[in-house]
Amino acid sequence: ARTAYEALLKDDKPAAAAFVGLAKVHRALGEYDKAQETLDAGLKVHATDPALFAHRADLAFALGKWDDASTDAEAAIKKDDK
């Protein structure tokens, strides 16, 4: 799965789902920093994508980063309303 997502991310404007997918792979492998970096990179390309914010919020929550989780969850809700 990792190889497939990494290939998708080589596109000129990769889909947000590719960033989410790769972040999930990293997270499943316990590579939390890489998961965070992947979601951050996705938000640089898709700054208003609620799924990226939601997954980043979930990761932050799992890592005990409550303030970051709350901020990203609120952003996901606001972006999803638009």
Side-chain angles (χ1 to χ4, degrees), residues 3-59:
T3 304
Y5 286 122
E6 288 173 343
L8 290 171
L9 291 177
K10 291 180 182 176
D11 288 345
D12 288 337
K13 187 168 182 183
F19 290 101
V20 170
L22 183 57
K24 285 182 174 184
V25 170
H26 286 307
R27 188 171 172 180
L29 296 172
E31 300 170 345
Y32 303 114
D33 289 341
K34 288 183 180 180
Q36 176 77 44
E37 291 168 8
T38 301
L39 294 169
D40 291 345
L43 284 165
K44 288 181 181 175
V45 178
H46 301 281
T48 61
D49 190 277
L52 288 165
F53 279 108
H55 284 278
R56 196 168 73 171
D58 186 59
L59 177 62

Side-chain angles (χ1 to χ4, degrees), residues 56-69:
R56 196 168 73 171
D58 186 59
L59 177 62
F61 183 82
L63 296 175
K65 298 178 180 179
W66 317 122
D67 290 340
D68 292 342

